[in-house]
Amino acid sequence: MADILVNGKQARTGSKTLLEVKHLSVDYLASSGVVHAVTDVSFTLERGEILGLAGESGCGKSTLAYAIARLLRPPALITEGEVLYHPRVRTDETGAPRVSTVSMPGKGPLARPGETEETIDIMTMSSSELRAFRWTELAIVFQSAMNALNPVMKIGTQIMDVLQAHRPEMGPDARKQRALELLKVVGIAPDRINSYPHELSGGMRQRAIIAIALALSPEIIIMDEPTTALDVVMQREILIEIMRLREEFDFSVIFITHDLSLLLELADKIAIMYAGRIVEQGTSFDLYEHPRHPYSYGLLHSFPTIRGPRRNVTGIPGSPPDLRAVPKGCAFHPRCPFAFAPCSSILPTLEPSNPQTPEQLVACHLYNTNLHPAGSPDEEEFAARYATLAERSKGR
Amino acid sequence: MNALDQLQTPSDARPETPIMEIEHLRKLFPLRQINLFGPQRAVHAVEDSSFALYPGRATALVGESGSGKTTIARMLARLYDPTSGTILFQGKPVKLTRGAALRQYRRHVQLVFQDPFSSLNPVHSVEYHLSRPLRVYGHARNKREVTEQILTLLNRVSLTPAEQFIQKFPHQLSGGQRQRVAIARALAAQPEVLLADEPVSMLDVSIRLDILNLLLRLKQEEHLALLYITHDIASALYFAEETLVMYAGQMVEGGPSEEVIQRPKHPYTQLLLSAAPDPDRMDPNQRGLGTLPTRGEIPSLINPPTGCRFHPRCPYAMPVCRERFPERTDVGNGHWTHCFYYGDGGSNTEQPPLLNLAVPPTPRRKAGRTQEQPDYPEMKENE
């Protein structure tokens, strides 16, 4: 136990990186052809960070998240890549307490014996390692709270179920105690522990799901459109709750949504996906201030805002490509108002677009001075090009 | 013509006569009696709602789920019978009609449903879906006319090339395309009133705008009266000239969209606005989303709170709010609200807007959009 504590201190002071996804590719082997759902995706997730994955339906964002959790089953196949997880070595009550109000007895380290660094490749884990990894280190909040809860089990039982499976040493009383604690943490009255899911409203159900995800104090929580089915007021309540819990328990979040307006307020970093690839990533502030990729610009201008001058909102004409036959070169070029010759033949790579914003990466030839010597477009040009595109699509 | 210009052209400021007037509409859904001798129980879905629809104008009905907005649309489409109240269509009251008279009414008033995945029959082609209204309402007499009109319809909703879409089945279409087919089906009846029940909420954000712009264009071209039901208050501002806000079956605020959304009066409208996503509120130096002024949800409508149904959540609730629902108070510029804070009936333009839940924490504007005063022309006032 002693050396774990030492390691624990090292890990706590060590690197900030929690998860590194490197060149991840996922295919679905369909009878009508191979669907390249995720292609060559790389990003890093830092501790305590909220990373937003945004894109239209069918862009591979959910597949990517499930691949990270190794939840995909055939016909899905992870063809390439690694997901490196840098766990913080857990300490028990004698060590530095990790969480303030919720403490978890007996949370041991995950590192396998013989491994020098704490780094683990999730893609090479065996099924028993996966079982220990999932939910202890990485939890998922699924899209539809209605379907994710078992309708014939009380929500208290469903929380205790998780504890029973992962913390066999806990007694029934301790489990119940913990379940009550968790309900309180997410803002459900503890006397609801004996309620069935149908007795709760949509927002309460979503909170219950978050309580289950928090049960083992994971490091990463993947949230797959957690608020899409909820009303705006309830959605905001849940998001405020998530932000508060994150401050308190210091977990990282991968937040998947198609609603960019929401993500801008919530996330620290945003990755925008199109046809299975990340086309742009950066801090949400940079992305909002100066989107570089024409697709990001289109997404940002496809919702009206409440305040300020009425923006001309255009949307993006056309629809996302069929992933069985992704267009050659940049997959966005058939819909892109800026498309020029190299776009249909050369695949752009993620590069910093501007020396002033080295963290903002974009995969677009407009920023490649060799291919596009005219220089990168400014916001006015973006607006003008999209306006003519919208005009043309209407004129048909 | 672009959608923004359409909005800003003062569309014949105040059309002469409303095409549809709704007065004191009420709907109860009776529940099964548990105790035979107990009082009759019911879901009080819609209480005393009055408004009007004008040709060439869009009216947005905003509220959370369970606020009764879909019930109103369904009553207007005559899918439900109102418990009380009148619906006037072209000045004549719509009776509880059946058969041919009802069909005649539906020729004029069409409904577009929320979910294009379930509103189209999966075993029928686009051609069949569009040919039914054409035949039923007698707009086409023979096969050639039917095909001709279907092609025109598909072109009007920008499903091109129309010849390719005509033989497709719903599963071969994307969500946006399905919703276009659903809109084309509604247009096939050549209606004067189009009721759109959350037409874009099931669609991807990037496609929503296309559909909204299509509806705006149709409104302009066909001089349609549109009722746009939504929970997204930002799109109401973009889309509709007039906005009505509902809470738990009661209409709490209404008026020109610009007025209602930029200067909300009722605490519930302010709550809705403070909950709506707003990237301009984003602050790079600060984490967190701020707070909501009030929590809670829409109450059960079986035993709704008495008086103003928002009072259990309202931070400004007064004893009188519990007793009865306030009368409509005019707050100027055609903007009205049902809130005791602003008075109880009559008009009150003097009252300073003390209630202010929806103030964002120092809105940050983008460079180039810094002007404090929006530079679009004021909407035409009602009075």
Side-chain angles (χ1 to χ4, degrees):
Chain A
M1 215 56 187
D3 55 290
I4 293 164
L5 283 179
V6 173
N7 277 345
K9 274 171 195 140
Q10 281 171 347
R12 288 178 74 83
T13 50
S15 72
K16 278 186 73 203
T17 307
L18 183 61
L19 194 75
E20 273 180 274
V21 177
K22 287 183 178 172
H23 308 292
L24 191 67
S25 297
V26 183
D27 286 352
Y28 286 95
L29 308 175
S31 57
S32 50
V34 178
V35 179
H36 303 288
V38 174
T39 320
D40 194 16
V41 165
S42 307
F43 63 84
T44 55
L45 179 69
E46 318 254 292
R47 284 185 206 287
E49 186 179 58
I50 298 187
L51 171 77
L53 282 181
E56 291 164 285
S57 2
C59 73
K61 51 194 195 302
S62 295
T63 303
L64 173 60
Y66 295 158
I68 293 169
R70 290 274 307 273
L71 281 175
L72 293 171
R73 286 191 194 169
L77 187 71
I78 297 167
T79 51
E80 214 194 323
E82 48 187 13
V83 179
L84 301 178
Y85 175 61
H86 305 276
R88 172 187 338 202
V89 172
R90 309 283 188 162
T91 55
D92 56 14
E93 284 95 3
T94 54
R98 196 184 135 238
V99 289
S100 49
T101 59
V102 186
S103 59
M104 178 47 69
K107 213 169 189 188
L110 192 81
R112 277 176 290 181
E115 258 178 328
T116 47
E117 272 301 331
E118 247 64 66
T119 305
I120 304 167
D121 185 359
I122 297 173
M123 293 302 131
T124 59
M125 279 185 181
S126 68
S127 60
S128 64
E129 284 170 327
L130 269 177
R131 204 155 45 235
F133 171 74
R134 287 186 194 137
W135 233 258
T136 322
E137 305 289 319
L138 179 144
I140 296 197
V141 173
F142 290 99
Q143 179 165 6
S144 162
M146 194 82 92
N147 305 332
L149 287 170
N150 186 337
V152 297
M153 271 167 86
K154 295 170 181 166
I155 57 163
T157 320
Q158 301 194 39
I159 297 175
M160 289 187 268
D161 226 22
V162 177
L163 297 170
Q164 199 167 8
H166 289 267
R167 294 278 171 274
E169 71 281 0
M170 271 176 110
D173 287 345
R175 283 203 293 269
K176 177 143 194 208
Q177 209 48 46
R178 173 76 178 148
L180 289 171
E181 221 171 279
L182 284 165
L183 286 182
K184 204 153 41 164
V185 158
V186 296
I188 303 180
D191 54 359
R192 291 294 205 149
I193 192 162
N194 287 323
S195 300
Y196 288 95
H198 75 268
E199 295 173 307
L200 303 174
S201 69
M204 295 267 261
R205 269 185 230 141
Q206 198 65 56
R207 281 166 195 270
I209 300 249
I210 293 173
I212 295 174
L214 285 172
L216 305 171
S217 320
E219 289 277 356
I220 309 171
I221 301 186
I222 295 177
M223 302 201 174
D224 186 9
E225 311 236 6
T227 57
T228 308
L230 301 177
D231 278 315
V232 270
V233 179
M234 188 47 69
Q235 163 173 310
R236 169 121 330 213
E237 269 185 33
I238 299 270
L239 295 180
I240 291 173
E241 200 74 50
I242 291 172
M243 296 294 263
R244 188 182 66 71
L245 292 170
R246 195 215 26 184
E247 291 294 306
E248 198 175 332
F249 300 111
D250 195 30
F251 51 79
S252 307
V253 179
I254 298 179
F255 196 98
I256 302 168
T257 180
H258 66 267
D259 191 351
L260 199 54
S261 61
L262 196 77
L263 213 49
L264 286 168
E265 268 189 87
L266 181 82
D268 302 311
K269 217 162 72 182
I270 294 178
I272 294 187
M273 290 188 70
Y274 187 77
R277 287 174 190 272
I278 293 181
V279 295
E280 180 163 3
Q281 76 179 50
T283 63
S284 56
F285 183 76
D286 281 342
L287 200 76
Y288 180 61
E289 282 292 295
H290 34 72
R292 306 284 189 207
H293 199 282
Y295 180 63
S296 316
Y297 181 89
L299 271 188
L300 274 170
H301 289 76
S302 54
F303 50 86
T305 53
I306 303 176
R307 284 178 202 86
R310 186 144 30 192
R311 298 193 297 179
N312 197 348
V313 261
T314 43
I316 309 170
S319 49
D322 181 353
L323 291 174
R324 271 171 300 206
V326 179
K328 268 193 80 169
C330 171
F332 187 58
H333 82 260
R335 293 168 79 186
C336 182
F338 285 95
F340 59 112
C343 293
S344 51
S345 52
I346 307 169
L347 183 73
T349 49
L350 269 180
E351 314 250 353
S353 59
N354 193 319
Q356 282 158 9
T357 53
E359 278 181 32
Q360 192 175 10
L361 307 177
V362 61
C364 182
H365 291 317
L366 288 177
Y367 302 95
N368 185 334
T369 39
N370 296 330
L371 293 173
H372 193 254
S376 46
D378 57 2
E379 183 162 351
E380 274 156 39
E381 199 175 342
F382 269 125
R385 293 284 186 109
Y386 262 104
T388 47
L389 193 69
E391 218 48 29
R392 218 183 312 147
S393 76
K394 236 171 254 171
R396 281 183 313 188
Chain B
M1 181 154 188
N2 109 18
L4 198 68
D5 298 340
Q6 288 175 25
L7 262 179
Q8 291 176 352
T9 31
S11 47
D12 358 315
R14 186 73 174 176
E16 349 47 68
T17 44
I19 185 149
M20 220 167 175
E21 280 173 282
I22 289 89
E23 285 169 3
H24 308 293
L25 204 61
R26 216 164 150 249
K27 178 71 187 172
L28 305 180
F29 292 102
L31 290 174
R32 195 177 348 163
Q33 207 72 350
I34 298 171
N35 176 358
L36 254 178
F37 305 102
Q40 173 70 51
R41 299 192 313 151
V43 177
H44 299 251
V46 174
E47 294 283 356
D48 197 7
S49 299
S50 308
F51 60 97
L53 300 177
Y54 297 88
R57 276 165 63 103
T59 303
L61 196 53
V62 184
E64 289 174 271
S65 33
S67 62
K69 50 196 198 305
T70 298
T71 309
I72 286 194
R74 296 197 161 193
M75 281 193 280
L76 297 196
R78 299 307 328 255
L79 294 176
Y80 296 152
D81 290 334
T83 307
S84 64
T86 46
I87 302 173
L88 297 174
F89 179 71
Q90 292 175 328
K92 288 192 284 292
V94 178
K95 301 241 175 58
L96 301 177
T97 43
R98 295 228 149 18
L102 181 59
R103 197 150 60 221
Q104 196 51 36
Y105 174 74
R106 292 214 175 118
R107 192 184 89 58
H108 301 288
V109 180
Q110 281 283 318
L111 180 64
V112 176
F113 291 91
Q114 174 173 7
D115 183 0
F117 294 85
S118 57
S119 70
L120 297 178
N121 190 333
V123 302
H124 287 310
S125 65
V126 169
E127 179 177 27
Y128 180 85
H129 278 108
L130 298 184
S131 68
R132 292 311 297 154
L134 291 174
R135 291 280 196 177
V136 168
Y137 298 113
H139 296 309
R141 310 219 171 273
N142 53 46
K143 206 148 189 237
R144 198 180 48 81
E145 273 180 39
V146 168
T147 318
E148 239 166 55
Q149 293 195 23
I150 290 178
L151 291 178
T152 335
L153 278 170
L154 288 174
N155 275 318
R156 262 163 65 199
V157 296
S158 308
L159 281 176
T160 47
E163 291 77 12
Q164 275 180 30
F165 278 98
I166 196 164
Q167 287 308 334
K168 288 202 176 176
F169 285 85
H171 71 266
Q172 295 168 310
L173 303 173
S174 70
Q177 289 170 339
R178 283 182 217 205
Q179 197 60 291
R180 284 172 197 271
V181 172
I183 292 170
R185 177 175 61 182
L187 290 178
Q190 302 177 4
E192 277 99 50
V193 179
L194 193 64
L195 311 166
D197 185 4
E198 307 225 25
V200 296
S201 64
M202 301 287 283
L203 304 177
D204 255 339
V205 174
S206 54
I207 298 161
R208 287 182 188 177
L209 250 294
D210 265 4
I211 302 286
L212 285 187
N213 286 339
L214 166 71
L215 285 172
L216 278 178
R217 199 185 77 214
L218 293 171
K219 178 190 83 174
Q220 185 87 350
E221 284 171 3
E222 326 271 323
H223 219 56
L224 278 175
L226 264 170
L227 180 69
Y228 171 60
I229 292 175
T230 183
H231 60 259
D232 176 12
I233 198 161
S235 71
L237 175 64
Y238 176 73
F239 187 78
E241 284 89 350
E242 195 184 355
T243 295
L244 306 164
V245 182
M246 283 193 84
Y247 179 75
Q250 295 173 328
M251 244 173 222
V252 296
E253 185 163 5
S257 301
E258 198 68 28
E259 273 288 321
V260 172
I261 292 163
Q262 306 287 6
R263 284 171 285 280
K265 292 289 192 260
H266 197 279
Y268 177 64
T269 316
Q270 299 184 351
L271 172 66
L272 260 188
L273 278 165
S274 65
D278 183 2
D280 277 336
R281 234 169 355 199
M282 183 172 65
D283 184 349
N285 306 316
Q286 194 190 315
R287 280 173 142 194
L289 289 171
T291 48
L292 271 187
T294 174
R295 301 176 63 116
E297 303 163 35
I298 288 199
S300 154
L301 297 182
I302 297 174
N303 277 314
T306 53
C308 172
R309 289 179 182 172
F310 189 59
H311 82 253
R313 292 170 76 182
C314 181
Y316 301 97
M318 298 177 271
V320 64
C321 299
R322 218 151 304 178
E323 283 154 25
R324 60 191 177 82
F325 189 64
E327 295 291 313
R328 176 187 286 210
T329 308
D330 259 308
V331 289
N333 294 335
H335 184 180
W336 51 265
T337 180
H338 287 278
C339 182
F340 282 117
Y341 198 86
Y342 300 95
D344 184 17
S347 76
N348 185 357
T349 46
E350 257 78 290
Q351 177 86 39
L354 285 177
L355 293 182
N356 223 345
L357 294 168
V359 172
T362 51
R364 187 185 54 78
R365 296 261 167 262
K366 253 178 133 160
R369 299 202 232 136
T370 32
Q371 59 270 62
E372 282 302 304
Q373 278 304 309
D375 57 352
Y376 39 84
E378 282 295 309
M379 303 270 291
K380 286 285 170 217
E381 317 299 6
N382 284 3
E383 265 93 19

